[in-house]
């Protein structure tokens, strides 16, 4: 077993194009139709024409494993245990800790984002394609990979060009980014998508629980419903912008939906073919003692020339070598790399963002717009701008994220997702920065005000009366509204006042009781419920009779004054006695 996991990956036998042909062949060999879950089988699930990848991707479009699932059903025979390294049934086996992480991520997302309908099998399909289920389940008891799994450095040489965004914190590479961990997140994506899935207080892309939960949140952003094929396509393409990748993930998703089972950690099968047709690049565990720079991945060197036979001289003569085409001593000119759009950005400018204000719990009506410009003020398109909410606040972007990365459009403008106000009031700072470029950030201020009501009204009209020393039969209930809609979570105060002209607290008449049964005539810390309703505690009366006033006020200035009457019960006069008969 150790030898199996210690060996190097064999050179990929299929390129992306070959994988696509294989997918088509496999589709033709399997019966079309509807699977056991009532969904369209992957063989028939043609990606929606309108599906397109979002700006950027979770993996930076790094290479992935192109191995196809077997034709044989994944359901193992009950009497046959899975044999590590085998095919067929064992291909469906997922290492225990890895499988547990997928299922826990699904359960968490079911509560956090129920409309997403994320199946754990989708995480398993992506995990299989990205890292071979964490290299066959080589993880410790906490779910962290035994060795880091790194993709090739994204230096533009056969891959995307993504310069370092994390100072090597995750990938050990301070020059270029590399995809990290079992779900292959690039550092700039992990910075906002990272999650703590195992509750240890850390967000580690090398931990399968953290990575699986992060992948789930990433796939569920933008309010996508993954039970809809078109939105599932978009989510998968946003993970890696490749149609072949989409087809392959769909194939594994359909395979795992038909059945799977648990195998011991470290006993999963290892994939061998990769989309870049290379064996030296990752996702491959780093090897201690390697001489390559930290975070970089060695690339295959040129194959040595095969020894050949010496040239035969013609007519018994000797072969005259050709003179060099370049005179000795001429310095070679290194190739120049044209600057990327990111390289040309000199600064960020506000692109007409209006005043940002929202009530606690509400969505902000306006969004932040930022323009990337050159030194001459020319707009720069296709530049990734990262928006980060900083400081002590519970305000987030829609979807619960506090970081979002958006590419600039043809006008050089990046528009941040809508902000969702939290419960903490005050000023919120959102900072815009250019990904991969050290230029000053641009700060935006947003204001969160407390929840408010602009109107209060009683929900009933029953008279509020009581006899001296008694208890009011009816409790006071009011409803708060704001612009005609129920105002929930609005702070309120109830006070028994002296008169309409004197809002001071009265010292006689009706009163409330505190938890110890003591008399109180002012209640603070009250809040309306989800329907904007507020029901006050019971009211009691002392021996003073008369008409009294109860005033209810809320944040936002809504006020309601209610009359309370304390009066002695009326006694009936005795009937006059009859006059004696004469």
């Amino acid at each position: 077993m150790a030898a199996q996991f210690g060996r190097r990956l064999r050179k990929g036998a299929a390129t992306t194009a070959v994988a696509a042909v294989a997918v088509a062949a496999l589709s033709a060999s399997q019966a079309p139709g509807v699977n056991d879950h009532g969904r369209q089988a992957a063989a028939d699930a043609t990606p929606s024409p309108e599906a397109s990848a979002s700006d950027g991707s979770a993996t930076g479009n790094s290479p992935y494993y192109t191995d196809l699932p077997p034709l044989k059903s994944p359901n193992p025979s009950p009497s046959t245990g899975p044999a590590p390294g085998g095919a067929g049934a064992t291909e469906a086996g997922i290492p225990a800790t890895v499988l547990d992480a997928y299922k826990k991520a699904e359960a968490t997302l079911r509560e956090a984002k129920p409309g997403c309908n994320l199946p754990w099998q989708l995480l398993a399909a992506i995990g299989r394609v990205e890292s071979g289920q964490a290299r066959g389940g080589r993880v410790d008891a906490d779910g962290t990979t035994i060795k880091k799994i790194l993709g090739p450095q994204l230096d533009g040489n056969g891959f995307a060009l993504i310069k370092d965004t994390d100072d090597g914190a995750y990938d050990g590479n301070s020059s270029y980014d590399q995809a990290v961990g079992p779900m292959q997140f690039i550092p700039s994506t992990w910075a906002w998508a990272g999650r703590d899935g195992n509750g240890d207080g850390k967000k580690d892309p090398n931990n399968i629980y953290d990575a699986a939960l992060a992948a789930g949140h990433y796939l569920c952003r933008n309010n996508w419903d993954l039970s809809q094929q078109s939105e599932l396509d978009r989510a998968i393409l946003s993970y890696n912008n490749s149609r072949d990748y989409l087809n392959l993930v769909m194939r594994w998703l359909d395979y795992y939906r038909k059945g799977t089972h648990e195998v011991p950690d470290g006993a999963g099968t290892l994939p061998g073919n990769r989309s870049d047709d290379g064996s030296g690049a990752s996702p491959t565990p780093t090897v201690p003692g390697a001489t390559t720079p930290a975070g970089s991945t060695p690339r295959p060197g040129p194959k040595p020339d095969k020894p050949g036979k010496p040239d035969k001289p013609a007519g018994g003569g000797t072969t005259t070598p050709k003179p060099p085409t370049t005179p000795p001593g001429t310095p070679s000119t290194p190739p120049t790399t044209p600057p990327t759009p990111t390289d040309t950005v000199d600064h960020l400018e506000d692109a007409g963002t209006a005043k940002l204000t929202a009530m606690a719990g509400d969505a902000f009506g306006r969004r932040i717009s930022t323009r990337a410009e050159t030194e001459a003020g020319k707009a720069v398109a296709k530049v990734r701008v990262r928006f980060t909410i900083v400081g002590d606040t519970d305000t987030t972007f829609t979807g619960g994220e506090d970081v979002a990365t958006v590419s600039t459009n043809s006008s050089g403008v990046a528009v941040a997702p809508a902000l969702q106000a939290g419960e903490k009031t005050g000023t919120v700072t959102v900072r815009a920065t250019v990904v991969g470029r050290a230029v000053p950030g641009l700060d935006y201020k947003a204001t969160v005000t407390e929840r408010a009501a602009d109107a209060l009204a009683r929900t009933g009209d029953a008279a509020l009366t009581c006899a001296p020393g008694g208890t009011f039969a009816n409790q006071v209930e009011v409803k708060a509204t704001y612009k005609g809609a129920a105002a929930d979570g609005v702070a309120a105060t109830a006070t028994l006042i002296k008169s309409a002209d004197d809002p001071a607290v009265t010292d006689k008449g009706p009163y409330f009781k505190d938890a110890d049964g003591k008399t109180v005539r002012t209640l603070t810390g009250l809040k309306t419920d989800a329907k904007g309703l507020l029901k006050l505690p019971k009211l009691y009366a002392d021996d003073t009779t008369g008409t009294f006033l109860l005033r209810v006020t809320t944040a936002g200035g809504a006020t309601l004054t209610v009359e309370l009457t304390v009066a002695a019960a009326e006694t009936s006069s005795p009937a006059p006695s009859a006059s004696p008969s004469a």
Side-chain angles (χ1 to χ4, degrees):
M1 189 64 65
Q4 177 189 10
F5 291 112
R7 69 174 182 246
R8 292 178 58 86
L9 287 173
R10 68 181 184 274
K11 182 174 181 180
T15 63
T16 303
V18 175
V21 173
V23 170
L26 185 57
S27 300
S29 68
Q30 294 185 343
V34 178
N35 63 21
D36 295 337
H37 297 264
R39 297 174 182 267
Q40 191 179 22
D44 304 318
T46 303
S48 304
E50 70 274 19
S52 61
S54 64
D55 296 321
S57 70
T59 67
N61 300 325
S62 294
Y64 54 89
Y65 289 112
T66 59
D67 298 54
L68 294 168
L71 292 173
K72 187 176 179 181
S73 169
N75 292 304
S77 170
S79 59
T80 305
T90 58
E91 285 284 356
I94 299 177
T97 299
V98 178
L99 180 60
D100 183 56
Y102 295 151
K103 291 184 175 180
K104 284 188 174 179
E106 179 199 54
T108 299
L109 268 298
R110 191 183 302 125
E111 293 185 9
K113 298 181 178 180
C116 177
N117 296 306
L118 171 82
W120 67 261
Q121 291 92 339
L122 175 58
L123 298 177
I126 291 176
R128 181 62 169 75
V129 170
E130 292 295 345
S131 69
Q133 311 297 18
R135 301 290 297 150
R138 297 199 69 195
V139 296
D140 62 19
D142 296 323
T144 302
T145 57
I146 303 300
K147 296 177 181 177
K148 286 186 177 182
I149 302 175
L150 296 175
Q153 66 176 16
L154 301 174
D155 57 4
N157 185 12
F159 308 108
L161 174 59
I162 303 179
K163 294 185 178 180
D164 175 62
T165 60
D166 65 330
D167 199 25
Y170 295 118
D171 53 17
N173 190 337
S174 59
S175 297
Y176 300 95
D177 270 354
Q178 294 175 246
V180 181
M183 302 303 279
Q184 289 289 278
F185 279 96
I186 55 174
S188 58
T189 303
W190 184 261
W192 63 265
R195 291 294 189 280
D196 177 13
N198 61 352
D200 64 356
K202 298 183 294 184
K203 300 176 183 179
D204 183 1
N206 299 294
N207 182 277
I208 186 58
Y209 287 99
D210 295 359
L213 183 58
H217 274 281
Y218 185 90
L219 294 164
C220 287
R221 74 197 192 286
N222 299 332
N223 295 319
W224 280 326
D225 178 0
L226 303 187
S227 66
Q228 302 296 318
Q229 186 65 49
S230 61
E231 298 192 8
L232 176 61
D233 291 349
R234 289 189 181 94
I236 296 172
L237 283 170
S238 77
Y239 211 89
N240 193 309
N241 187 12
S242 163
R243 286 284 175 176
D244 294 325
Y245 181 88
L246 169 60
N247 292 334
L248 185 60
V249 169
M250 284 300 302
R251 178 62 61 189
W252 278 105
L253 170 59
D254 187 54
Y255 184 75
Y256 284 132
R257 275 176 173 159
K258 292 177 180 177
T260 188
H261 57 281
E262 178 183 299
V263 298
D265 289 345
T269 58
L270 293 175
N273 304 314
R274 211 177 53 248
S275 60
D276 65 337
D277 194 28
S279 61
S282 203
T284 302
T286 56
V287 180
T291 58
T292 53
S296 64
T297 306
R299 297 172 185 256
K303 295 181 180 179
D305 294 333
K306 294 181 180 180
K309 296 179 180 179
D311 294 334
K312 293 181 180 180
T318 60
T319 302
T320 304
K322 295 181 179 180
T325 57
T326 304
T330 302
S332 60
T333 303
T336 58
T337 303
T340 66
T342 301
D343 294 332
T344 67
V345 176
D346 177 74
H347 59 274
L348 294 175
E349 287 285 344
D350 176 43
T353 302
K355 185 177 181 181
L356 300 167
T357 303
M359 194 182 299
D362 289 350
F364 282 76
R366 300 181 182 275
R367 297 163 69 177
I368 295 172
S369 297
T370 298
R371 184 171 55 252
E373 296 183 353
T374 64
E375 185 176 6
K378 183 179 178 181
V380 185
K382 298 182 180 180
V383 172
R384 290 185 300 157
V385 176
R386 179 180 298 138
F387 297 95
T388 306
I389 300 173
V390 298
D392 182 17
T393 179
D394 55 354
T395 292
T396 65
F397 292 113
T398 302
E401 317 295 350
D402 56 10
V403 179
T405 302
V406 181
S407 290
T408 56
N409 59 21
S410 58
S411 300
V413 175
V415 181
L419 285 166
Q420 176 68 40
E423 294 303 319
K424 292 183 179 179
T425 59
T427 301
V428 176
T429 300
V430 180
R431 181 165 298 150
T433 56
V434 178
V435 176
R437 179 75 169 162
V439 298
L442 187 61
D443 284 356
Y444 293 85
K445 301 296 181 182
T447 303
V448 178
T449 61
E450 62 181 334
R451 293 172 182 258
D454 56 16
L456 280 173
R458 279 190 65 194
T459 58
D461 56 5
L464 298 168
T465 61
C466 179
T471 304
F472 283 81
N474 298 309
Q475 290 177 246
V476 177
E477 184 181 65
V478 299
K479 182 171 184 177
T481 56
Y482 183 78
K483 294 182 178 179
D488 63 309
V490 177
T493 300
T495 307
L496 290 151
I497 61 175
K498 290 183 177 181
S499 69
D501 298 325
D502 186 356
V505 181
T506 185
D507 58 357
K508 57 185 177 181
Y511 61 91
F512 299 105
K513 289 182 180 180
D514 64 12
D516 298 325
K518 295 180 179 179
T519 298
V520 292
R521 289 189 168 90
T522 298
L523 296 178
T524 58
L526 305 173
K527 279 193 175 182
T528 59
D529 66 12
K531 296 180 179 180
L533 299 175
L534 173 62
K535 192 170 187 178
L536 299 181
K538 287 184 177 181
L539 277 163
Y540 303 88
D542 60 15
D543 294 333
T544 308
T545 59
T547 299
F548 302 89
L549 299 179
L550 169 66
R551 180 163 290 172
V552 182
T553 59
T554 68
T559 302
L560 176 67
T561 303
V562 181
E563 280 194 0
L564 307 171
T565 302
V566 179
E570 292 185 4
T571 57
S572 57
S573 302
S577 58
S579 302
S581 300

